[in-house]
Amino acid sequence: MPITVDIDVMLARRKMSVGELADRVGITPANLAVLKNGRAKAVRFATLAALCEVLECQPGDLLRWESGDGAAG
């Protein structure tokens, strides 16, 4: 999957635990772990918005695309 999830980076910047983030966003720690570890197949916009609100960031701070083949263009 060429989409990388950088929730760990934002958690470290905000000095917040996974459990605290899950509680404040309103999802289970297990579901947050699936997203955080890049195993999620989809994310609801409502969940993404809640993550951004709690972490005080933009969606691009949490998600980034990486080319799988390394080719430019």
Side-chain angles (χ1 to χ4, degrees):
M1 172 70 74
I3 301 295
T4 301
V5 181
D6 289 327
I7 290 176
D8 283 338
V9 173
M10 294 308 297
L11 283 172
R13 289 182 182 167
R14 302 297 185 251
K15 295 179 174 63
M16 188 181 297
S17 71
V18 172
E20 180 182 354
L21 179 60
D23 187 52
R24 290 179 62 184
V25 169
I27 62 176
T28 66
N31 283 341
L32 182 57
V34 167
L35 180 60
K36 185 175 78 73
N37 294 324
R39 295 188 316 258
K41 300 293 182 196
V43 61
R44 292 176 189 237
F45 281 171
T47 302
L48 183 58
L51 287 166
C52 289
E53 182 177 357
V54 170
L55 293 170
E56 299 178 354
C57 67
Q58 295 295 313
D61 296 327
L62 300 177
L63 304 172
R64 64 187 154 88
W65 178 84
E66 294 181 343
S67 175
D69 61 10

Short mmCIF file of all heavy atoms in Angstrom, two decimals:
data_model
loop_
_atom_site.label_atom_id
_atom_site.label_comp_id
_atom_site.label_asym_id
_atom_site.label_seq_id
_atom_site.Cartn_x
_atom_site.Cartn_y
_atom_site.Cartn_z
N MET A 1 0.85 -1.18 0.00
CA MET A 1 0.00 0.00 0.00
C MET A 1 0.89 1.24 0.00
O MET A 1 1.74 1.38 0.88
CB MET A 1 -0.91 -0.03 1.22
CG MET A 1 -1.71 1.23 1.45
SD MET A 1 -3.02 1.57 0.28
CE MET A 1 -4.23 0.39 0.75
N PRO A 2 0.74 2.11 -0.96
CA PRO A 2 1.61 3.28 -1.04
C PRO A 2 1.23 4.41 -0.09
O PRO A 2 1.89 5.43 -0.05
CB PRO A 2 1.45 3.72 -2.49
CG PRO A 2 0.11 3.23 -2.90
CD PRO A 2 -0.10 1.96 -2.13
N ILE A 3 0.16 4.25 0.71
CA ILE A 3 -0.22 5.28 1.68
C ILE A 3 0.41 4.93 3.02
O ILE A 3 0.22 3.83 3.55
CB ILE A 3 -1.75 5.38 1.84
CG1 ILE A 3 -2.42 5.71 0.52
CG2 ILE A 3 -2.11 6.40 2.92
CD1 ILE A 3 -2.08 7.08 -0.04
N THR A 4 1.16 5.87 3.59
CA THR A 4 1.81 5.69 4.88
C THR A 4 1.07 6.55 5.91
O THR A 4 0.75 7.71 5.64
CB THR A 4 3.28 6.12 4.80
OG1 THR A 4 3.93 5.31 3.81
CG2 THR A 4 3.98 5.94 6.13
N VAL A 5 0.83 5.99 7.08
CA VAL A 5 0.14 6.69 8.16
C VAL A 5 1.18 7.10 9.19
O VAL A 5 1.93 6.26 9.70
CB VAL A 5 -0.94 5.79 8.80
CG1 VAL A 5 -1.67 6.53 9.90
CG2 VAL A 5 -1.92 5.30 7.74
N ASP A 6 1.22 8.40 9.49
CA ASP A 6 2.22 8.94 10.42
C ASP A 6 1.61 9.37 11.75
O ASP A 6 2.00 10.39 12.32
CB ASP A 6 2.92 10.14 9.77
CG ASP A 6 3.84 9.74 8.64
OD1 ASP A 6 4.44 8.66 8.72
OD2 ASP A 6 3.97 10.51 7.67
N ILE A 7 0.69 8.58 12.28
CA ILE A 7 0.08 8.92 13.56
C ILE A 7 1.13 8.91 14.67
O ILE A 7 1.10 9.75 15.57
CB ILE A 7 -1.09 7.98 13.88
CG1 ILE A 7 -2.25 8.27 12.92
CG2 ILE A 7 -1.55 8.13 15.33
CD1 ILE A 7 -3.43 7.34 13.07
N ASP A 8 2.09 7.98 14.61
CA ASP A 8 3.14 7.91 15.64
C ASP A 8 3.90 9.23 15.76
O ASP A 8 4.23 9.66 16.86
CB ASP A 8 4.14 6.79 15.32
CG ASP A 8 3.61 5.42 15.65
OD1 ASP A 8 2.69 5.32 16.48
OD2 ASP A 8 4.12 4.45 15.07
N VAL A 9 4.17 9.85 14.63
CA VAL A 9 4.91 11.12 14.62
C VAL A 9 4.12 12.18 15.37
O VAL A 9 4.65 12.89 16.23
CB VAL A 9 5.20 11.58 13.17
CG1 VAL A 9 5.81 12.95 13.14
CG2 VAL A 9 6.10 10.57 12.47
N MET A 10 2.82 12.29 15.06
CA MET A 10 1.99 13.30 15.71
C MET A 10 1.78 12.99 17.19
O MET A 10 1.74 13.90 18.02
CB MET A 10 0.65 13.44 15.00
CG MET A 10 0.76 13.99 13.59
SD MET A 10 1.70 15.54 13.45
CE MET A 10 0.69 16.63 14.41
N LEU A 11 1.66 11.71 17.54
CA LEU A 11 1.54 11.34 18.95
C LEU A 11 2.78 11.78 19.73
O LEU A 11 2.66 12.31 20.83
CB LEU A 11 1.34 9.83 19.10
CG LEU A 11 -0.05 9.29 18.80
CD1 LEU A 11 -0.03 7.76 18.79
CD2 LEU A 11 -1.06 9.80 19.80
N ALA A 12 3.94 11.56 19.16
CA ALA A 12 5.18 11.97 19.83
C ALA A 12 5.25 13.48 19.96
O ALA A 12 5.63 14.00 21.03
CB ALA A 12 6.38 11.44 19.05
N ARG A 13 4.88 14.19 18.92
CA ARG A 13 4.91 15.66 18.97
C ARG A 13 3.95 16.21 20.02
O ARG A 13 4.23 17.23 20.64
CB ARG A 13 4.57 16.25 17.61
CG ARG A 13 5.64 16.08 16.59
CD ARG A 13 5.26 16.73 15.28
NE ARG A 13 6.28 16.51 14.28
CZ ARG A 13 6.11 16.74 12.99
NH1 ARG A 13 4.97 17.21 12.54
NH2 ARG A 13 7.09 16.50 12.15
N ARG A 14 2.83 15.55 20.20
CA ARG A 14 1.80 16.01 21.15
C ARG A 14 1.96 15.38 22.53
O ARG A 14 1.19 15.66 23.43
CB ARG A 14 0.40 15.71 20.62
CG ARG A 14 0.09 16.31 19.26
CD ARG A 14 0.13 17.83 19.29
NE ARG A 14 -0.29 18.38 18.01
CZ ARG A 14 0.52 18.98 17.15
NH1 ARG A 14 1.81 19.10 17.42
NH2 ARG A 14 0.06 19.47 16.02
N LYS A 15 2.97 14.49 22.66
CA LYS A 15 3.22 13.78 23.92
C LYS A 15 1.94 13.12 24.43
O LYS A 15 1.53 13.29 25.58
CB LYS A 15 3.81 14.73 24.97
CG LYS A 15 5.18 15.26 24.58
CD LYS A 15 5.71 16.22 25.61
CE LYS A 15 7.12 16.66 25.32
NZ LYS A 15 7.32 17.38 24.11
N MET A 16 1.31 12.35 23.52
CA MET A 16 0.03 11.71 23.81
C MET A 16 0.16 10.21 23.59
O MET A 16 0.87 9.77 22.69
CB MET A 16 -1.03 12.29 22.86
CG MET A 16 -2.45 11.87 23.15
SD MET A 16 -3.64 12.58 21.99
CE MET A 16 -3.46 14.32 22.30
N SER A 17 -0.52 9.43 24.40
CA SER A 17 -0.49 7.97 24.25
C SER A 17 -1.55 7.53 23.25
O SER A 17 -2.51 8.25 22.96
CB SER A 17 -0.75 7.30 25.60
OG SER A 17 -2.11 7.48 25.98
N VAL A 18 -1.38 6.32 22.75
CA VAL A 18 -2.37 5.73 21.84
C VAL A 18 -3.72 5.62 22.54
O VAL A 18 -4.75 5.93 21.96
CB VAL A 18 -1.89 4.36 21.31
CG1 VAL A 18 -2.98 3.66 20.53
CG2 VAL A 18 -0.64 4.52 20.47
N GLY A 19 -3.70 5.19 23.79
CA GLY A 19 -4.95 5.04 24.54
C GLY A 19 -5.67 6.36 24.71
O GLY A 19 -6.90 6.43 24.58
N GLU A 20 -4.94 7.41 25.02
CA GLU A 20 -5.55 8.73 25.19
C GLU A 20 -6.15 9.22 23.86
O GLU A 20 -7.26 9.74 23.83
CB GLU A 20 -4.53 9.74 25.70
CG GLU A 20 -5.11 11.13 25.89
CD GLU A 20 -4.10 12.17 26.34
OE1 GLU A 20 -2.94 11.81 26.63
OE2 GLU A 20 -4.47 13.35 26.40
N LEU A 21 -5.39 9.05 22.77
CA LEU A 21 -5.89 9.47 21.47
C LEU A 21 -7.16 8.70 21.10
O LEU A 21 -8.15 9.29 20.67
CB LEU A 21 -4.83 9.28 20.38
CG LEU A 21 -5.25 9.67 18.96
CD1 LEU A 21 -5.65 11.14 18.88
CD2 LEU A 21 -4.14 9.36 17.98
N ALA A 22 -7.14 7.39 21.28
CA ALA A 22 -8.32 6.58 20.96
C ALA A 22 -9.52 7.05 21.76
O ALA A 22 -10.63 7.19 21.22
CB ALA A 22 -8.03 5.10 21.23
N ASP A 23 -9.32 7.31 23.04
CA ASP A 23 -10.41 7.76 23.90
C ASP A 23 -10.96 9.11 23.45
O ASP A 23 -12.17 9.29 23.34
CB ASP A 23 -9.92 7.84 25.35
CG ASP A 23 -11.04 8.14 26.33
OD1 ASP A 23 -12.05 7.42 26.30
OD2 ASP A 23 -10.89 9.10 27.11
N ARG A 24 -10.08 10.03 23.14
CA ARG A 24 -10.50 11.38 22.74
C ARG A 24 -11.15 11.39 21.36
O ARG A 24 -12.02 12.21 21.10
CB ARG A 24 -9.32 12.34 22.80
CG ARG A 24 -8.90 12.61 24.25
CD ARG A 24 -7.72 13.52 24.38
NE ARG A 24 -8.01 14.84 23.83
CZ ARG A 24 -7.11 15.81 23.75
NH1 ARG A 24 -5.88 15.61 24.20
NH2 ARG A 24 -7.43 16.97 23.23
N VAL A 25 -10.73 10.48 20.48
CA VAL A 25 -11.31 10.41 19.13
C VAL A 25 -12.61 9.61 19.14
O VAL A 25 -13.49 9.86 18.32
CB VAL A 25 -10.29 9.80 18.15
CG1 VAL A 25 -10.92 9.46 16.81
CG2 VAL A 25 -9.13 10.76 17.94
N GLY A 26 -12.73 8.66 20.07
CA GLY A 26 -13.93 7.86 20.15
C GLY A 26 -13.86 6.57 19.36
O GLY A 26 -14.87 6.08 18.87
N ILE A 27 -12.66 6.02 19.22
CA ILE A 27 -12.50 4.72 18.59
C ILE A 27 -11.75 3.80 19.55
O ILE A 27 -11.16 4.27 20.52
CB ILE A 27 -11.75 4.80 17.23
CG1 ILE A 27 -10.33 5.36 17.40
CG2 ILE A 27 -12.53 5.64 16.24
CD1 ILE A 27 -9.52 5.38 16.11
N THR A 28 -11.80 2.52 19.28
CA THR A 28 -11.13 1.58 20.17
C THR A 28 -9.61 1.64 19.94
O THR A 28 -9.16 1.94 18.83
CB THR A 28 -11.60 0.13 19.93
OG1 THR A 28 -11.18 -0.28 18.63
CG2 THR A 28 -13.11 0.01 20.08
N PRO A 29 -8.84 1.36 20.99
CA PRO A 29 -7.38 1.30 20.80
C PRO A 29 -6.99 0.28 19.73
O PRO A 29 -6.03 0.50 18.99
CB PRO A 29 -6.86 0.90 22.17
CG PRO A 29 -7.89 1.40 23.12
CD PRO A 29 -9.21 1.22 22.40
N ALA A 30 -7.74 -0.81 19.61
CA ALA A 30 -7.43 -1.82 18.59
C ALA A 30 -7.62 -1.25 17.19
O ALA A 30 -6.78 -1.48 16.31
CB ALA A 30 -8.31 -3.05 18.78
N ASN A 31 -8.70 -0.51 16.96
CA ASN A 31 -8.93 0.09 15.65
C ASN A 31 -7.90 1.17 15.34
O ASN A 31 -7.45 1.31 14.20
CB ASN A 31 -10.34 0.66 15.54
CG ASN A 31 -11.37 -0.42 15.32
OD1 ASN A 31 -11.05 -1.53 14.90
ND2 ASN A 31 -12.61 -0.11 15.60
N LEU A 32 -7.50 1.92 16.36
CA LEU A 32 -6.46 2.93 16.16
C LEU A 32 -5.14 2.25 15.81
O LEU A 32 -4.41 2.72 14.94
CB LEU A 32 -6.31 3.81 17.40
CG LEU A 32 -5.27 4.93 17.28
CD1 LEU A 32 -5.56 5.85 16.10
CD2 LEU A 32 -5.20 5.72 18.57
N ALA A 33 -4.85 1.12 16.45
CA ALA A 33 -3.61 0.37 16.15
C ALA A 33 -3.61 -0.12 14.70
O ALA A 33 -2.57 -0.07 14.03
CB ALA A 33 -3.45 -0.79 17.12
N VAL A 34 -4.76 -0.58 14.22
CA VAL A 34 -4.86 -1.04 12.82
C VAL A 34 -4.53 0.11 11.88
O VAL A 34 -3.77 -0.04 10.92
CB VAL A 34 -6.27 -1.62 12.54
CG1 VAL A 34 -6.50 -1.79 11.04
CG2 VAL A 34 -6.45 -2.93 13.26
N LEU A 35 -5.09 1.28 12.16
CA LEU A 35 -4.81 2.45 11.33
C LEU A 35 -3.36 2.89 11.46
O LEU A 35 -2.67 3.12 10.46
CB LEU A 35 -5.75 3.60 11.74
CG LEU A 35 -5.60 4.90 10.99
CD1 LEU A 35 -5.86 4.71 9.50
CD2 LEU A 35 -6.55 5.94 11.55
N LYS A 36 -2.87 2.97 12.68
CA LYS A 36 -1.51 3.43 12.96
C LYS A 36 -0.45 2.54 12.33
O LYS A 36 0.57 3.02 11.86
CB LYS A 36 -1.34 3.47 14.48
CG LYS A 36 -0.04 4.05 14.97
CD LYS A 36 -0.03 4.15 16.48
CE LYS A 36 0.22 2.88 17.19
NZ LYS A 36 1.57 2.38 17.13
N ASN A 37 -0.73 1.24 12.28
CA ASN A 37 0.26 0.29 11.76
C ASN A 37 0.12 0.04 10.26
O ASN A 37 0.79 -0.82 9.71
CB ASN A 37 0.16 -1.04 12.52
CG ASN A 37 0.56 -0.86 13.97
OD1 ASN A 37 1.45 -0.11 14.29
ND2 ASN A 37 -0.13 -1.56 14.86
N GLY A 38 -0.75 0.82 9.60
CA GLY A 38 -0.87 0.73 8.16
C GLY A 38 -1.63 -0.48 7.66
O GLY A 38 -1.52 -0.85 6.49
N ARG A 39 -2.43 -1.12 8.52
CA ARG A 39 -3.18 -2.30 8.11
C ARG A 39 -4.62 -1.96 7.71
O ARG A 39 -5.35 -2.84 7.28
CB ARG A 39 -3.17 -3.34 9.23
CG ARG A 39 -1.79 -3.89 9.52
CD ARG A 39 -1.82 -5.07 10.49
NE ARG A 39 -2.71 -4.85 11.61
CZ ARG A 39 -2.32 -4.51 12.84
NH1 ARG A 39 -1.05 -4.32 13.09
NH2 ARG A 39 -3.21 -4.35 13.79
N ALA A 40 -5.04 -0.71 7.88
CA ALA A 40 -6.41 -0.32 7.54
C ALA A 40 -6.58 -0.27 6.02
O ALA A 40 -5.68 0.14 5.30
CB ALA A 40 -6.74 1.03 8.15
N LYS A 41 -7.75 -0.68 5.56
CA LYS A 41 -8.07 -0.61 4.13
C LYS A 41 -8.77 0.70 3.80
O LYS A 41 -8.82 1.10 2.64
CB LYS A 41 -8.98 -1.78 3.73
CG LYS A 41 -8.36 -3.13 3.96
CD LYS A 41 -7.20 -3.36 3.04
CE LYS A 41 -6.62 -4.75 3.27
NZ LYS A 41 -5.31 -4.91 2.70
N ALA A 42 -9.32 1.36 4.82
CA ALA A 42 -10.06 2.61 4.61
C ALA A 42 -10.10 3.37 5.93
O ALA A 42 -9.89 2.79 6.99
CB ALA A 42 -11.48 2.33 4.13
N VAL A 43 -10.39 4.66 5.84
CA VAL A 43 -10.61 5.48 7.03
C VAL A 43 -11.77 6.42 6.72
O VAL A 43 -11.84 7.01 5.64
CB VAL A 43 -9.34 6.25 7.46
CG1 VAL A 43 -8.85 7.19 6.40
CG2 VAL A 43 -9.56 6.98 8.76
N ARG A 44 -12.69 6.50 7.64
CA ARG A 44 -13.84 7.41 7.45
C ARG A 44 -13.36 8.85 7.60
O ARG A 44 -12.50 9.14 8.43
CB ARG A 44 -14.91 7.13 8.50
CG ARG A 44 -15.59 5.81 8.34
CD ARG A 44 -16.57 5.59 9.49
NE ARG A 44 -17.06 4.24 9.45
CZ ARG A 44 -18.33 3.93 9.35
NH1 ARG A 44 -19.25 4.87 9.34
NH2 ARG A 44 -18.71 2.67 9.30
N PHE A 45 -13.95 9.74 6.80
CA PHE A 45 -13.61 11.15 6.92
C PHE A 45 -13.91 11.67 8.31
O PHE A 45 -13.18 12.51 8.84
CB PHE A 45 -14.34 11.98 5.87
CG PHE A 45 -13.72 11.92 4.50
CD1 PHE A 45 -14.39 12.48 3.42
CD2 PHE A 45 -12.50 11.34 4.27
CE1 PHE A 45 -13.84 12.45 2.16
CE2 PHE A 45 -11.94 11.30 3.01
CZ PHE A 45 -12.61 11.86 1.95
N ALA A 46 -14.96 11.18 8.95
CA ALA A 46 -15.30 11.62 10.30
C ALA A 46 -14.18 11.24 11.28
O ALA A 46 -13.83 12.03 12.16
CB ALA A 46 -16.62 11.00 10.75
N THR A 47 -13.61 10.05 11.11
CA THR A 47 -12.50 9.62 11.96
C THR A 47 -11.26 10.46 11.68
O THR A 47 -10.58 10.91 12.60
CB THR A 47 -12.20 8.13 11.75
OG1 THR A 47 -13.38 7.37 12.04
CG2 THR A 47 -11.06 7.66 12.64
N LEU A 48 -10.97 10.69 10.41
CA LEU A 48 -9.83 11.51 10.04
C LEU A 48 -9.99 12.93 10.59
O LEU A 48 -9.04 13.50 11.14
CB LEU A 48 -9.66 11.54 8.52
CG LEU A 48 -8.47 12.29 7.96
CD1 LEU A 48 -7.15 11.73 8.51
CD2 LEU A 48 -8.48 12.22 6.43
N ALA A 49 -11.19 13.48 10.49
CA ALA A 49 -11.45 14.83 11.02
C ALA A 49 -11.26 14.86 12.53
O ALA A 49 -10.66 15.81 13.08
CB ALA A 49 -12.85 15.27 10.65
N ALA A 50 -11.73 13.82 13.23
CA ALA A 50 -11.57 13.76 14.68
C ALA A 50 -10.09 13.64 15.07
O ALA A 50 -9.63 14.29 16.02
CB ALA A 50 -12.36 12.59 15.25
N LEU A 51 -9.34 12.84 14.33
CA LEU A 51 -7.90 12.72 14.59
C LEU A 51 -7.22 14.08 14.42
O LEU A 51 -6.40 14.49 15.26
CB LEU A 51 -7.26 11.70 13.64
CG LEU A 51 -7.56 10.23 13.93
CD1 LEU A 51 -7.17 9.36 12.75
CD2 LEU A 51 -6.84 9.78 15.19
N CYS A 52 -7.57 14.77 13.35
CA CYS A 52 -6.97 16.09 13.09
C CYS A 52 -7.35 17.10 14.17
O CYS A 52 -6.52 17.90 14.58
CB CYS A 52 -7.39 16.60 11.71
SG CYS A 52 -6.63 15.68 10.36
N GLU A 53 -8.59 17.04 14.62
CA GLU A 53 -9.03 17.97 15.66
C GLU A 53 -8.27 17.73 16.96
O GLU A 53 -7.74 18.66 17.57
CB GLU A 53 -10.53 17.83 15.89
CG GLU A 53 -11.07 18.79 16.92
CD GLU A 53 -12.56 18.70 17.11
OE1 GLU A 53 -13.23 17.92 16.41
OE2 GLU A 53 -13.07 19.42 17.99
N VAL A 54 -8.20 16.48 17.38
CA VAL A 54 -7.53 16.15 18.64
C VAL A 54 -6.03 16.42 18.57
O VAL A 54 -5.43 16.95 19.50
CB VAL A 54 -7.81 14.67 19.02
CG1 VAL A 54 -6.94 14.23 20.19
CG2 VAL A 54 -9.29 14.48 19.35
N LEU A 55 -5.42 16.07 17.42
CA LEU A 55 -3.97 16.24 17.27
C LEU A 55 -3.58 17.64 16.78
O LEU A 55 -2.40 17.94 16.67
CB LEU A 55 -3.41 15.18 16.32
CG LEU A 55 -3.49 13.75 16.84
CD1 LEU A 55 -3.14 12.76 15.73
CD2 LEU A 55 -2.57 13.56 18.04
N GLU A 56 -4.60 18.46 16.47
CA GLU A 56 -4.37 19.82 15.98
C GLU A 56 -3.43 19.82 14.79
O GLU A 56 -2.35 20.42 14.80
CB GLU A 56 -3.85 20.73 17.10
CG GLU A 56 -4.82 20.87 18.25
CD GLU A 56 -4.28 21.71 19.39
OE1 GLU A 56 -3.10 22.12 19.35
OE2 GLU A 56 -5.05 21.96 20.32
N CYS A 57 -3.85 19.08 13.75
CA CYS A 57 -3.03 18.94 12.55
C CYS A 57 -3.91 18.88 11.31
O CYS A 57 -5.13 18.91 11.41
CB CYS A 57 -2.15 17.70 12.65
SG CYS A 57 -3.07 16.14 12.63
N GLN A 58 -3.30 18.77 10.17
CA GLN A 58 -3.98 18.63 8.89
C GLN A 58 -3.92 17.16 8.45
O GLN A 58 -3.02 16.43 8.87
CB GLN A 58 -3.30 19.51 7.82
CG GLN A 58 -3.41 20.99 8.10
CD GLN A 58 -4.85 21.47 8.03
OE1 GLN A 58 -5.58 21.14 7.10
NE2 GLN A 58 -5.26 22.23 9.03
N PRO A 59 -4.86 16.72 7.59
CA PRO A 59 -4.81 15.33 7.11
C PRO A 59 -3.46 14.95 6.51
O PRO A 59 -2.99 13.82 6.70
CB PRO A 59 -5.93 15.27 6.07
CG PRO A 59 -6.90 16.32 6.51
CD PRO A 59 -6.05 17.42 7.08
N GLY A 60 -2.82 15.89 5.84
CA GLY A 60 -1.51 15.62 5.24
C GLY A 60 -0.41 15.39 6.26
O GLY A 60 0.65 14.86 5.93
N ASP A 61 -0.65 15.78 7.51
CA ASP A 61 0.31 15.50 8.58
C ASP A 61 0.21 14.04 9.02
O ASP A 61 1.15 13.51 9.62
CB ASP A 61 0.06 16.39 9.79
CG ASP A 61 0.28 17.86 9.49
OD1 ASP A 61 1.17 18.18 8.68
OD2 ASP A 61 -0.45 18.69 10.07
N LEU A 62 -0.92 13.40 8.72
CA LEU A 62 -1.15 12.02 9.14
C LEU A 62 -0.99 11.01 8.02
O LEU A 62 -0.67 9.85 8.28
CB LEU A 62 -2.57 11.88 9.71
CG LEU A 62 -2.89 12.74 10.93
CD1 LEU A 62 -4.35 12.55 11.33
CD2 LEU A 62 -1.97 12.41 12.09
N LEU A 63 -1.25 11.43 6.79
CA LEU A 63 -1.22 10.51 5.64
C LEU A 63 -0.29 11.04 4.56
O LEU A 63 -0.28 12.24 4.28
CB LEU A 63 -2.63 10.38 5.04
CG LEU A 63 -3.75 9.93 5.96
CD1 LEU A 63 -5.09 10.05 5.26
CD2 LEU A 63 -3.51 8.53 6.46
N ARG A 64 0.48 10.13 3.97
CA ARG A 64 1.30 10.54 2.83
C ARG A 64 1.39 9.38 1.85
O ARG A 64 1.29 8.22 2.22
CB ARG A 64 2.67 11.03 3.26
CG ARG A 64 3.55 10.01 3.91
CD ARG A 64 4.83 10.67 4.45
NE ARG A 64 5.34 9.88 5.53
CZ ARG A 64 6.17 8.86 5.38
NH1 ARG A 64 6.59 8.52 4.18
NH2 ARG A 64 6.59 8.18 6.42
N TRP A 65 1.56 9.74 0.60
CA TRP A 65 1.66 8.77 -0.48
C TRP A 65 3.12 8.58 -0.83
O TRP A 65 3.89 9.54 -0.94
CB TRP A 65 0.89 9.26 -1.70
CG TRP A 65 0.98 8.32 -2.86
CD1 TRP A 65 0.22 7.22 -3.08
CD2 TRP A 65 1.87 8.41 -3.97
NE1 TRP A 65 0.59 6.61 -4.26
CE2 TRP A 65 1.63 7.33 -4.82
CE3 TRP A 65 2.88 9.30 -4.34
CZ2 TRP A 65 2.30 7.11 -5.99
CZ3 TRP A 65 3.57 9.09 -5.49
CH2 TRP A 65 3.28 8.00 -6.32
N GLU A 66 3.53 7.32 -1.00
CA GLU A 66 4.89 6.99 -1.42
C GLU A 66 4.80 6.09 -2.64
O GLU A 66 4.09 5.09 -2.63
CB GLU A 66 5.65 6.29 -0.32
CG GLU A 66 5.92 7.15 0.90
CD GLU A 66 6.71 6.40 1.95
OE1 GLU A 66 6.77 5.16 1.91
OE2 GLU A 66 7.29 7.08 2.82
N SER A 67 5.55 6.43 -3.65
CA SER A 67 5.57 5.62 -4.87
C SER A 67 6.12 4.23 -4.53
O SER A 67 7.14 4.09 -3.86
CB SER A 67 6.45 6.29 -5.91
OG SER A 67 6.57 5.47 -7.04
N GLY A 68 5.44 3.21 -5.03
CA GLY A 68 5.87 1.85 -4.76
C GLY A 68 7.06 1.39 -5.58
O GLY A 68 7.83 0.56 -5.17
N ASP A 69 7.24 2.01 -6.78
CA ASP A 69 8.31 1.55 -7.65
C ASP A 69 9.53 2.47 -7.64
O ASP A 69 10.52 2.17 -8.29
CB ASP A 69 7.80 1.37 -9.08
CG ASP A 69 7.29 2.67 -9.70
OD1 ASP A 69 7.50 3.73 -9.12
OD2 ASP A 69 6.69 2.59 -10.77
N GLY A 70 9.41 3.62 -6.95
CA GLY A 70 10.55 4.53 -6.88
C GLY A 70 10.74 5.37 -8.11
O GLY A 70 11.66 6.17 -8.17
N ALA A 71 9.91 5.19 -9.15
CA ALA A 71 10.05 5.97 -10.37
C ALA A 71 9.41 7.34 -10.21
O ALA A 71 8.36 7.46 -9.60
CB ALA A 71 9.39 5.24 -11.54
N ALA A 72 10.04 8.34 -10.72
CA ALA A 72 9.48 9.70 -10.66
C ALA A 72 8.48 9.88 -11.78
O ALA A 72 8.59 9.30 -12.84
CB ALA A 72 10.61 10.72 -10.80
N GLY A 73 7.50 10.75 -11.50
CA GLY A 73 6.61 11.12 -12.57
C GLY A 73 5.30 10.54 -12.46
O GLY A 73 4.36 10.59 -13.05
#
